Amino acid sequence: MKNLDAARIAEAVELLAKRTNYYLTKDVCKRIAECRDAETDPGAAEILDKIEDNITIAGEEGIPLCQDTGMACVFLRLGQDVHIYGGDLYEAVNTGVKAGYEKGFLRKSVVADPLRRKNTGDNTPANIYVEIVPGDDLEIVFAPKGFGSENMSQIKMLKPADGEEGVKDFVVQTVREAGGNPCPPIVVGVGIGGTFDRAPLMAKKALLLPMDHRNQDPYYAEMEDELLERINKLNIGPQGFGGRTTALAVKIIQAPTHIAGLPVAVNINCHVARHGVVRL
């Protein structure tokens, strides 16, 4: 049994809030550079150059990669042999979010009610997801989610008869309808199966996978490749001005589902695919 002070959790979340908003992970930077080298459209290449400049400046000066510093999505993998003392787990996470956004000079974008729209003033509450796993560690994955891309996401309850082609057509159509709104090049997370509520969560978790990650099932790995190719042929391009780089990657997570259903969710992320992890 490991005893874990809630204050340590708050400190870790505070650090992640600042770090993920200032620094893009190496795998995302590498993928953007690869797309820049492969881009044949001069205008698209110039935009990718500016995106790389922005990433460099943010990292060197310790300033946000984007003015939309996102709604905090926090994924916790809590070992069943961890005992948290000194405070409530959810309260600790939100304390860390508040401190990170205040001390990191990050924009507060959360409203307390979806219709009355009063800003909470500290970017809380976070969206917190807890998974109980074996072990005595707590893994914290922090992902600030901007809403320019979030607003372009969709879910559809397909019929089983729609099959593979129905799934692929829905994913491509979602990206086509999004156009330049989600600040492409984008990362496309796809959740297939489960239930109405599980598919979008799988799609969001797919955005956290490394750029070089391939689905372990060759069938879905091939689908990822095909979808990426089809999406990049849409000629939406960086920031919607055309080119072959509409998406950096397509990632699929699948799950068992009911015999009568085929839920599919598409969660889009802009090229600033921010996330970071700490283990306590």
Side-chain angles (χ1 to χ4, degrees):
M1 177 72 69
K2 175 189 287 185
N3 292 313
L4 183 59
D5 192 342
R8 283 192 63 199
I9 299 172
E11 291 170 0
V13 171
E14 176 186 341
L15 173 65
L16 284 169
K18 291 182 283 190
R19 192 172 77 192
T20 55
N21 271 294
Y22 297 163
Y23 310 106
L24 209 53
T25 53
K26 291 181 180 178
D27 62 313
V28 179
C29 294
K30 179 183 177 183
R31 180 63 184 143
I32 292 173
E34 290 171 348
C35 290
R36 166 61 184 87
D37 291 342
E39 183 56 67
T40 55
D41 183 287
E46 182 179 356
I47 292 171
L48 290 170
D49 283 337
K50 293 186 183 301
I51 286 173
E52 290 187 307
D53 289 343
N54 179 74
I55 294 169
T56 299
I57 293 169
E60 289 179 350
E61 298 190 14
I63 56 177
L65 287 150
C66 175
Q67 52 84 23
D68 183 352
T69 52
M71 190 169 190
C73 297
V74 183
F75 299 86
L76 304 175
R77 288 172 53 86
L78 177 63
Q80 61 188 14
D81 295 323
V82 175
H83 168 238
I84 298 170
Y85 70 93
D88 174 78
L89 173 61
Y90 287 79
E91 183 180 344
V93 170
N94 281 312
T95 296
V97 171
K98 179 179 179 180
Y101 276 75
E102 287 286 350
K103 297 177 184 178
F105 302 100
L106 306 176
R107 194 183 82 183
K108 291 83 173 177
S109 303
V110 175
V111 295
D113 182 272
L115 293 178
R116 287 170 287 190
R117 313 299 292 180
K118 183 178 179 181
N119 198 297
T120 62
D122 57 15
N123 222 55
T124 66
N127 285 329
I128 304 172
Y129 307 90
V130 182
E131 180 183 358
I132 305 299
V133 298
D136 62 356
D137 292 326
L138 171 63
E139 179 185 88
I140 305 171
V141 178
F142 191 98
K145 191 65 170 69
F147 263 61
S149 58
E150 188 76 354
N151 285 338
M152 299 296 105
S153 303
Q154 295 189 36
I155 179 171
K156 189 168 185 177
M157 304 300 289
L158 294 175
K159 299 183 294 295
D162 292 323
E164 177 182 336
E165 291 306 313
V167 170
K168 291 188 289 191
D169 288 346
F170 172 62
V171 174
V172 175
Q173 182 61 27
T174 299
V175 175
R176 181 185 288 112
E177 292 176 2
N181 290 308
C183 293
I186 58 176
V187 181
V188 183
V190 182
I192 307 174
T195 52
F196 175 81
D197 55 315
R198 186 176 178 186
L201 181 56
M202 292 191 295
K204 189 171 292 296
K205 286 184 174 181
L207 297 175
L208 307 176
L209 296 171
M211 288 291 105
D212 60 356
H213 177 276
R214 288 176 58 81
N215 195 293
Q216 293 184 349
D217 185 330
Y219 174 81
Y220 287 103
E222 183 177 335
M223 189 181 297
E224 290 174 337
D225 292 340
E226 181 182 340
L227 284 169
L228 181 60
E229 182 178 356
R230 286 180 60 178
I231 287 169
N232 281 332
K233 286 182 178 178
L234 292 174
N235 196 38
I236 295 170
Q239 300 302 304
F241 291 108
R244 63 188 296 172
T245 315
T246 297
L248 301 173
V250 176
K251 304 296 179 185
I252 297 173
I253 295 179
Q254 72 278 4
T257 192
H258 191 279
I259 191 173
L262 180 54
V264 184
V266 180
N267 197 196
I268 294 177
N269 208 81
C270 68
H271 61 274
V272 184
R274 298 167 293 190
H275 58 276
V277 59
V278 165
R279 291 178 180 83
L280 301 177

